[in-house]
Amino acid sequence: MLAAIALALAPIVVSAAPQETAITFYRDPERAAGAVMDMDPNSDEPLRGFALLEEVREVTVPAGRVTLRLEGVAGSIVPQSALLYDITAGEKNFDARLLSQRGLIDGFAGQRVTIRRADPVTGQPVEEAGTILSGADALVLKTARGVEAVQCEGSLNTLLFPGRPVDLTAKPTLSVELPASNTGGALRLRLVYLAGNFDWQADYVGTFSADGRRLALSSWLTLGSRDRTRFERAQVSAIAGMIKRAVPTDAEEEAAEQEREADPYAPDNIDVSAGCWPLGRTAAARGHAPMFTPRPYDTVEAPIALRLGGGWGGWGGGGGCEDEDEEGGCNDDIVVTGMRRADQSDVGDAKLYTLQHRSDIGARSIKQVRFLDDRVLKGEFLHHAVYRGDYLDDANYSYRLVNDTASGLGEPLPRGRIALFQDTPLGRHPIGEVPVKEKAVGERLDIDLPDAGGDDVDFDADEDDGPDGSNWSRVTLTVRNDGDRPITAEVEFADTAEHTLSRFSRRLEQRDGRPVWRVVVPPEKERTIRFRRTELPERADY
């Protein structure tokens, strides 16, 4: 008990903000190539990627036991991932009790506050002392008049608090307990942790020349943060590659959900609302709008005023949002800014893109960064399909090039989406958006076009059974060109566990371990290839 009392009396030292911050964005590992991250600023769904944050903080602490409060960490911090270097630390706690209506009422429970009312006759403000007897869900005050349930009586206008509780902050805070062996003095700390609610994607814009022989390509990293913390002058990076986090078990997910439901300071629970008719008359009801808005305050010095019942929507000022409209409400619009360029480097098999200059990452914001200079690429248009042993895939119409310097590229490409345009005599014409897979230097890049080449090109496979009792059949694959221009076509042949392919009637190329038939088909002509498809015996189940 004495140890607990000593810990409770330990001095509190606050680090209001880091001196240096570095943020590395990681993509949602479950998002498929071509799928886009959710960029709706008003969405309540969290972003599924994550970030690694590193902070440098300078603080002076006394010797002995100290509670060190690190304010301004990411609101979606994973507390168990936090590592504190250059200091010996004990217990670490993430404090989600933001400076909010609920936090103030709970923080001053049992204490005296000033109650301001509007005189029902004169309309002039009248103040009196009172004591908060209960929490925010059912606010009860004791005054000289007696005990009153505020949410039902309804005449209260404002509560004035004498200050701000020391453990209540407008910023997400990580608390660290320094042990008795702490020698004190000026400290330079390095804090590293993971946080959710971040994501990024690659966005490309490609414009075909009027003759279709060249593709002008520009490339951007789109960085998204749906966290409530703003990071200023941060060193910003993004990792490209398949980086995954450990997936929690169903039991862990259920336990986390139960914890969120029970936490009054969780985003879904922080709202404080009235549960009965104000003034005791249904005619005076202001609907079921919350008495308090769920957004936290910005940092405000004492005394702090809290409005209880400001009409529809309740209290409408001082929100902890990135922007405010003319009426004092939040504008959670996406903030898009452009930086000049990000530099690319290697991290093992992954690629790291780092902004050349420090940059701000706003709360609930989107930032775009150029990572590839404008390039003019040389490739070719072709129709291609894959024959998979017993069926032919739908053909794709693509612009193909090799990711090398000869084609005008030669840099790794993160997966994302490309918006395609065509230069025409009438101006720049949009074609559509298509996915781009992750491509390393030297790999073949197929940009599948939304239009599969129209109805002028057809791939068809006909099968004739072999002699009675044989386990093979003859396949004739035909490519027809009903257009007025020659086309290039390719078919890849894939063996399967059930079939093998052999005895091709034409010479084939080998690519990535597969035979490939490549042919130019003149206008109004067709080309065929014949081969044998052999059925393999069924394998026994083990």
Side-chain angles (χ1 to χ4, degrees):
M1 185 176 65
L2 292 176
I5 294 174
L7 185 61
L9 296 178
I12 296 176
V13 176
V14 175
S15 170
Q19 273 66 44
E20 299 177 18
T21 303
I23 307 175
T24 303
F25 287 74
Y26 291 78
R27 291 181 309 206
D28 175 4
E30 303 300 326
R31 189 173 68 244
V36 296
M37 72 178 179
D38 180 10
M39 291 186 285
D40 179 4
N42 298 313
S43 174
D44 293 329
E45 289 295 322
L47 294 175
R48 301 298 179 181
F50 56 99
L52 178 67
L53 292 98
E54 181 176 355
E55 301 178 356
V56 174
R57 294 174 180 257
E58 297 176 353
V59 62
T60 301
V61 299
R65 294 187 180 274
V66 176
T67 299
L68 179 59
R69 294 178 58 81
L70 307 178
E71 295 183 348
V73 298
S76 51
I77 182 176
V78 181
Q80 59 270 31
S81 72
L83 298 175
L84 197 61
Y85 295 90
D86 307 319
I87 191 174
T88 300
E91 183 177 328
K92 293 177 292 185
N93 298 288
F94 175 61
D95 191 351
R97 296 180 63 232
L98 295 182
L99 184 59
S100 60
Q101 297 92 336
R102 180 183 293 275
L104 284 168
I105 293 174
D106 289 347
F108 279 92
Q111 300 182 47
R112 294 178 67 82
V113 296
T114 300
I115 304 166
R116 179 181 292 167
R117 310 176 192 267
D119 187 282
V121 177
T122 66
Q124 296 299 312
V126 178
E127 294 184 358
E128 62 178 314
T131 302
I132 297 177
L133 296 183
S134 68
D137 285 325
L139 182 58
V140 177
L141 299 175
K142 181 179 181 181
T143 68
R145 306 182 185 191
V147 176
E148 52 185 302
V150 173
Q151 76 273 19
C152 290
E153 194 275 333
S155 63
L156 179 65
N157 295 131
T158 306
L159 289 180
L160 300 178
F161 297 87
R164 185 183 73 181
V166 68
D167 63 343
L168 210 60
T169 175
K171 306 173 184 177
T173 299
L174 185 71
S175 297
V176 179
E177 305 296 341
L178 304 186
S181 57
N182 164 46
T183 57
L187 303 178
R188 184 177 174 86
L189 313 177
R190 187 163 63 97
L191 174 66
V192 180
Y193 59 90
L194 290 173
N197 226 357
F198 294 86
D199 204 351
W200 76 272
Q201 68 186 28
D203 286 297
Y204 304 88
V205 177
T207 303
F208 289 107
S209 59
D211 59 8
R213 297 181 179 179
R214 298 288 187 270
L215 176 65
L217 185 70
S218 60
S219 313
W220 298 79
L221 302 180
T222 302
L223 308 171
S225 168
R226 202 163 281 168
D227 195 86
R228 62 177 179 258
T229 300
R230 175 182 177 85
F231 304 96
E232 297 184 351
R233 291 190 51 75
Q235 180 64 66
V236 181
S237 305
I239 284 280
M242 294 301 293
I243 311 296
K244 292 194 173 184
R245 295 175 60 188
V247 178
T249 64
D250 292 342
E252 290 171 338
E253 286 279 14
E254 183 177 354
E257 180 62 28
Q258 292 176 351
E259 183 177 349
R260 284 192 294 270
E261 291 177 355
D263 181 9
Y265 289 91
D268 293 337
N269 302 333
I270 199 171
D271 187 17
V272 180
S273 59
C276 56
W277 298 111
L279 302 180
R281 294 173 295 145
T282 57
R286 299 184 178 92
H288 293 284
M291 293 170 60
F292 307 95
T293 57
R295 61 178 74 96
Y297 279 92
D298 283 331
T299 303
V300 181
E301 296 300 326
I304 298 173
L306 179 64
R307 185 177 301 280
L308 286 169
W312 288 93
W315 177 78
C321 54
E322 189 69 14
D323 191 16
E324 292 186 356
D325 57 27
E326 295 179 355
E327 298 178 355
C330 276
N331 282 332
D332 286 331
D333 294 334
I334 294 176
V335 178
V336 180
T337 60
M339 292 294 293
R340 185 171 60 190
R341 182 173 163 82
D343 294 328
Q344 182 259 314
S345 57
D346 294 337
V347 180
D349 292 335
K351 304 299 178 182
L352 177 69
Y353 296 89
T354 304
L355 272 65
Q356 292 180 343
H357 305 284
R358 292 186 175 272
S359 180
D360 295 346
I361 299 295
R364 300 181 65 86
S365 68
I366 295 292
K367 180 181 291 292
Q368 284 197 314
V369 183
R370 184 181 293 275
F371 75 93
L372 190 64
D373 291 332
D374 291 340
R375 303 293 178 89
V376 178
L377 310 181
K378 296 178 292 184
E380 63 171 343
F381 292 96
L382 79 161
H383 302 259
H384 59 102
V386 179
Y387 184 81
R388 300 188 182 277
D390 56 356
Y391 69 94
L392 186 67
D393 281 350
D394 292 336
N396 291 320
Y397 183 52
S398 302
Y399 185 76
R400 173 176 293 177
L401 55 92
V402 177
N403 186 4
D404 58 18
T405 54
S407 69
L409 194 52
E411 292 196 29
L413 298 181
R415 73 168 182 247
R417 293 181 69 86
I418 179 170
L420 293 173
F421 298 84
Q422 170 79 55
D423 280 336
T424 71
L426 298 178
R428 196 164 175 245
H429 178 70
I431 299 175
E433 288 190 354
V434 295
V436 174
K437 295 181 180 179
E438 209 113 40
K439 291 297 176 181
V441 174
E443 281 194 288
R444 185 179 72 251
L445 171 62
D446 286 340
I447 301 175
D448 295 333
L449 303 178
D451 179 9
D455 299 326
D456 295 337
V457 179
D458 181 51
F459 287 70
D460 185 44
D462 295 322
E463 184 175 337
D464 296 323
D465 293 337
D468 292 342
S470 65
N471 65 341
W472 56 268
S473 58
R474 295 185 181 91
V475 180
T476 301
L477 194 151
T478 304
V479 180
R480 298 183 182 88
N481 177 15
D482 295 329
D484 56 2
R485 296 182 180 181
I487 60 106
T488 300
E490 278 191 0
V491 179
E492 290 188 22
F493 297 94
D495 287 336
T496 68
E498 292 80 24
H499 309 92
T500 60
L501 308 176
S502 62
R503 300 195 179 185
F504 292 93
S505 64
R506 295 182 180 273
R507 184 181 298 275
L508 304 180
E509 302 176 8
Q510 291 291 323
R511 182 186 302 148
D512 300 331
R514 289 181 176 180
V516 177
W517 178 42
R518 180 182 174 91
V519 62
V520 175
V521 185
E524 303 293 338
K525 298 292 183 180
E526 65 180 37
R527 293 291 184 264
T528 61
I529 185 172
R530 295 176 179 85
F531 53 93
R532 176 178 291 189
R533 182 175 68 89
T534 303
E535 186 173 348
L536 299 174
E538 293 185 5
R539 295 182 299 178
D541 294 331
Y542 293 96

